[in-house]
Amino acid sequence: MGTHCVVSTCDFTAASMNSSLPLDLPAGNSDHFGNQMSLCELRRAALHWLIQTDCTTKVAGVTQLRQSWQAGQVALEISAILCAEAPVPGRPARPELVAPGQVTSRSMRTDEGRAALIHALAHIEFNAINLALDAIWRFPDMPRAYYADWLQVAAEEAYHFSLLDGHLQTLGFVYGAFPAHNSLWEMAEKTSGDILARIALVPRTMEARGLDAAPPVRNKLAQAGDHAAAAILDIILRDEIGHVAIGNRWYGWLCAQRQLDPIVTFAMLTQQFKAPVLRGPFNLPARRAAGFTEAELALM
């Protein structure tokens, strides 16, 4: 299937956005990132911002993309087959990526210790921006609501990153000052060939762990006197419940489309892709709010 694009204008009417207007591009010019065409079609724009390496630029671009989408200024070509012309995901030269065991914890009694924790959280949110953008561009032929959902997630993750990055700077540090691990994105790479595996094992597994981890981390920061950071964690937990709910919704939809049992399929995928074993304690109220069924929770 050839690479296609939509018309190169941002002045789309509602009718034109709901129609498919493919135009064949000349060979070798299928995705010229940075041109007006790429930024006016949602999946190409998601890939454009995904490969952006500068954090501030990525956050601003994703935020503007969501606003433009909501204003009806961005088209959607669900069937286009896209190719990245730069490394995915785009990330700055720092932080240095190391094995999870090499990311050392520090005392919450010091500014540096709290900054290291805030930095770890910011790194998770930065990865989460990239994961949501990747879900948009990588997987074609999904319903329009799927792409709108993950654009919402990307914009909210960008907001979370900006909050944490700003707070990190008040402590005298910047994003990149501490080493970080890459396990979240490694699972994204493992599941890049199957949207069902991606949704099952990234938002519903890796990111859902944040629902369990957020309350004790929030309390630890509050006990250390960092109430501003604790307030940021409250915002993140509220929004992450919605993000995991989006993952649950599309996992259920995909299982129904493929006539698969959700629980049996999830168990099979966790074994196939060697997903981390979930360990409690679990935030059961948050998981219920995010759409996990009682049958699923009973198996945890």
Side-chain angles (χ1 to χ4, degrees):
M1 181 174 181
T3 302
H4 295 85
C5 73
V6 292
V7 291
S8 55
T9 173
C10 282
D11 186 20
F12 290 100
T13 63
S16 68
M17 285 184 63
N18 290 327
S19 63
S20 175
L21 301 173
L23 297 174
D24 285 338
L25 289 178
N29 192 36
S30 59
D31 279 295
H32 178 59
F33 300 116
N35 65 19
Q36 194 73 355
M37 185 178 295
S38 292
L39 295 179
C40 291
E41 195 281 316
L42 179 60
R43 293 180 56 231
R44 285 178 175 79
L47 181 51
H48 172 86
W49 295 120
L50 176 62
I51 65 176
Q52 171 60 242
T53 60
D54 180 76
C55 299
T56 301
T57 304
K58 189 190 294 275
V59 165
V62 170
T63 302
Q64 181 58 57
L65 177 60
R66 175 99 192 287
Q67 293 171 354
S68 297
W69 170 263
Q70 291 177 315
Q73 297 170 341
V74 179
L76 173 63
E77 175 51 63
I78 64 170
S79 296
I81 304 301
L82 307 181
C83 299
E85 295 181 348
V88 173
R91 56 166 62 97
R94 301 186 69 83
E96 175 190 6
L97 297 181
V98 299
Q102 294 180 267
V103 180
T104 58
S105 59
R106 294 171 171 84
S107 172
M108 290 293 97
R109 298 177 183 177
T110 66
D111 285 348
E112 183 178 11
R114 291 194 300 278
L117 177 55
I118 296 299
H119 185 277
L121 296 172
H123 183 66
I124 291 171
E125 298 301 320
F126 181 75
N127 268 315
I129 301 169
N130 290 331
L131 288 166
L133 294 174
D134 195 74
I136 295 171
W137 86 270
R138 185 175 297 278
F139 301 109
D141 298 320
M142 290 291 287
R144 180 183 179 85
Y146 166 88
Y147 300 105
D149 276 350
W150 291 111
L151 179 58
Q152 173 190 334
V153 173
E156 290 177 352
E157 303 291 19
Y159 175 57
H160 298 166
F161 176 82
S162 67
L163 291 175
L164 291 166
D165 185 46
H167 188 60
L168 188 62
Q169 292 178 40
T170 68
L171 298 174
F173 296 87
V174 296
Y175 178 62
F178 301 93
H181 68 79
N182 202 36
S183 59
L184 187 55
W185 188 261
E186 287 170 357
M187 181 56 72
E189 291 180 335
K190 287 182 181 180
T191 57
S192 61
D194 183 1
I195 187 173
L196 179 65
R198 168 66 65 84
I199 298 298
L201 301 180
V202 176
R204 298 184 76 248
T205 302
M206 304 290 287
E207 294 186 89
R209 294 169 72 182
L211 303 182
D212 308 319
V217 171
R218 184 249 184 238
N219 293 339
K220 184 184 295 186
L221 288 164
Q223 290 168 5
D226 196 337
H227 299 290
I232 293 172
L233 265 291
D234 289 337
I235 294 170
I236 291 174
L237 178 59
R238 177 200 68 196
D239 292 345
E240 292 299 337
I241 289 172
H243 299 174
V244 176
I246 287 171
N248 275 322
R249 178 161 64 251
W250 289 110
Y251 177 71
W253 186 88
L254 286 161
C255 285
Q257 290 289 305
R258 300 185 189 187
Q259 298 183 324
L260 298 172
D261 179 273
I263 292 179
V264 172
T265 301
F266 181 74
M268 178 193 70
L269 291 170
T270 56
Q271 290 185 343
Q272 178 182 348
F273 291 92
K274 297 180 173 59
V277 177
L278 296 181
R279 292 183 174 85
F282 299 109
N283 186 345
L284 295 180
R287 285 180 173 267
R288 288 189 179 97
F292 285 100
T293 66
E294 292 302 319
E296 290 173 313
L297 295 176
L299 295 173
M300 296 177 66

